Amino acid sequence: MNKARNFVSIVMGSDSDSEIMKETSGVLARFGIAHELRVASAHRSPKFLEKCVRDAEKRGASVFVAGAGAAAALPGAIAALTTRPVLGVPIASSDLKGLDALLSIAQMPAGVPVGAMAIGKAGARNAGMLAVQILALNDSRLAASLIQHRGEQEKGVMKKDAQLRSGSIK
Ligand code: RP5
């Protein structure tokens, strides 16, 4: 799914991050957005990372989603190489359980922004949602799908409320 223009490049610092970052690709697949999954580390493979980012830009990546744990330099390193939006997902892979990654991703110096998501699966899913919202700015079909999705979410909550009130869930 990575040949089209306007695709999302999902990069993770290690294959050990893939269980979390699959949440992002799941959301993108659900909205029919072309995307790729790459492993490239800011610390362990900086030259390869630069090559991946340059290559993705040339092929038309519109948004980068970068997931990393520990001293998570990956989203910031990607943001340093591109002016396309970068969404960073902190992953709880170290003894500090993602707080280290969250602070690394959120505390970017002025001038090189990264959108910091929540730690873990919720953040990975929201990175996918936010990428869809960015792409929907120039795509009315996608914008309509987002509105439909919000409606489905609301109906789901109302259904749970009704079930709780009727005693069918405790
Ligand atoms: C980070 O170090 C990666 O993003 C991963 O979350 C963490 C541990 O990597 P591995 O030692 O499992 O490869 O760079």
Side-chain angles (χ1 to χ4, degrees), residues 13-14 16-17 44 68-69 93:
S14 167
S16 64
D17 300 323
R44 292 169 174 162
S93 57

Side-chain angles (χ1 to χ4, degrees), residues 104-121:
S104 298
I105 291 169
Q107 290 299 110
M108 285 296 290
V112 187
V114 168
M117 301 289 108
I119 297 169
K121 285 189 178 179

Side-chain angles (χ1 to χ4, degrees), residues 60-78:
S62 298
V63 181
F64 288 86
V65 175
L74 182 67
I78 294 175

Side-chain angles (χ1 to χ4, degrees), residues 11-149:
V11 188
M12 62 198 86
S14 167
D15 61 334
S16 64
D17 300 323
S18 68
E19 196 198 324
I20 301 295
M21 297 314 295
K22 277 182 194 159
E23 297 288 331
T24 305
S25 61
V27 169
L28 295 173
R30 180 178 170 181
F31 283 90
I33 306 291
H35 58 280
E36 64 178 10
L37 283 157
R38 308 290 308 258
V39 176
S41 166
H43 292 127
R44 292 169 174 162
S45 65
K47 288 181 190 141
F48 177 63
L49 173 63
E50 180 168 7
K51 190 175 169 300
C52 290
V53 174
R54 303 264 181 246
D55 177 57
E57 264 203 346
K58 269 192 212 135
R59 288 181 288 115
S62 298
V63 181
F64 288 86
V65 175
L74 182 67
I78 294 175
L81 293 165
T82 182
T83 55
R84 314 267 158 94
V86 180
L87 309 176
V89 180
I91 293 178
S93 57
S94 79
D95 290 342
L96 295 184
K97 300 188 178 1
L99 188 57
D100 41 5
L102 174 65
L103 295 177
S104 298
I105 291 169
Q107 290 299 110
M108 285 296 290
V112 187
V114 168
M117 301 289 108
I119 297 169
K121 285 189 178 179
R125 230 177 272 177
N126 276 349
M129 291 302 307
L130 202 46
V132 175
Q133 289 180 215
I134 291 167
L135 295 172
L137 290 171
N138 292 309
D139 185 332
S140 55
R141 180 197 62 84
L142 213 46
S145 298
L146 280 167
I147 290 166
Q148 191 188 345
H149 177 258

